[in-house]
Amino acid sequence: MSETLHDPVKIGIVSISDRASTGVYEDKGLPALQDWLTRALLNPVTFEPRLIPDEQDRISATLIALVQEGCNLVLTTGGTGPALRDVTPEATLAVAHKEMPGFGEQMRQISLRFVPTAILSRQVAVVRDQSLIINLPGQPKAIAETLEGLKDATGVQLVPGIFAAVPYCIDLIGGPYLETRDEVCKAFRPKSAVRAR
């Protein structure tokens, strides 16, 4: 099926790190997000990348700007732990019109399969206008695990990733129709919401 049949989508990707934003070390969050989304989505995607420090007002302003620029999905990475400089959830909740707590709950369930310290993560997801904003973990491996879920050696899904619910959520808030590659992450929609091919 030709890509031109898929709705185009603009996605904001935001890496939040004092040290990476000042060049102390290379940012790995933005490449990890872009790589996974490119593999997962059939839609033509325009990415709006941002690399910013752990400053609450700056994070909130960046999220608002990306929504205003037409990003129907905004994914952040970094700044979701309990450390004093970790303010991504506060900055995200400050711009919310609706909270979507199921995303954070499921991310912690996935991460707890790997590390007991997953209970220290405070990722949140919110809706602002026609955009879904989700805080993801900071490590590239954890980003992929939470988006994709866990599969056994034969490829059978053991724990659903959060991205399976993202396309239908974006449908419900009036965004474009996202379609995924099933081998990466099978999107779930009620039968009544599936677009005829």
Side-chain angles (χ1 to χ4, degrees):
M1 186 149 73
S2 145
E3 272 206 354
T4 55
L5 299 179
H6 301 288
D7 290 357
V9 60
K10 188 186 277 195
I11 298 177
I13 51 176
V14 185
S15 186
I16 298 153
S17 166
D18 284 335
R19 289 179 293 172
S21 66
T22 55
V24 174
Y25 62 73
E26 182 188 358
D27 172 65
K28 292 187 168 63
L30 294 175
L33 288 169
Q34 189 162 331
D35 172 67
W36 192 89
L37 290 162
T38 300
R39 285 190 298 113
L41 287 170
L42 292 166
N43 305 67
V45 179
T46 301
F47 289 104
E48 289 291 338
R50 303 287 186 271
L51 176 57
I52 58 174
D54 293 276
E55 294 168 8
Q56 187 169 335
D57 290 348
R58 175 93 175 266
I59 298 166
S60 291
T62 299
L63 298 177
I64 291 169
L66 288 169
V67 170
Q68 289 174 339
E69 288 169 30
C71 294
N72 296 105
L73 177 63
V74 179
L75 300 179
T76 74
T77 176
T80 59
L84 292 179
R85 293 287 293 171
D86 289 337
V87 293
T88 303
E90 287 77 12
T92 304
L93 292 169
V95 305
H97 294 151
K98 291 180 180 163
E99 279 188 61
M100 302 296 292
F103 285 102
E105 291 162 7
Q106 183 64 5
M107 281 189 270
R108 284 180 280 278
Q109 285 303 309
I110 293 167
S111 297
L112 276 167
R113 298 250 176 157
F114 298 98
V115 289
T117 51
I119 57 173
L120 303 179
S121 69
R122 302 183 304 116
Q123 292 104 323
V124 299
V126 305
V127 170
R128 180 181 177 86
D129 296 333
Q130 290 179 298
S131 300
L132 175 62
I133 303 170
I134 306 174
N135 301 156
L136 293 169
Q139 297 302 317
K141 182 173 178 285
I143 289 170
E145 287 163 356
T146 53
L147 290 170
E148 203 164 317
L150 306 178
K151 297 175 180 149
D152 68 14
T154 64
V156 173
Q157 192 91 45
L158 299 173
V159 181
I162 63 160
F163 205 84
V166 167
Y168 185 52
C169 181
I170 290 176
D171 292 351
L172 293 172
I173 61 175
Y177 190 86
L178 298 187
E179 297 183 75
T180 58
R181 290 184 176 88
D182 289 356
E183 66 273 16
V184 178
C185 178
K186 184 172 173 56
F188 178 82
R189 286 179 169 94
K191 285 190 175 70
S192 61
V194 175
R195 186 186 282 183
R197 297 204 165 182

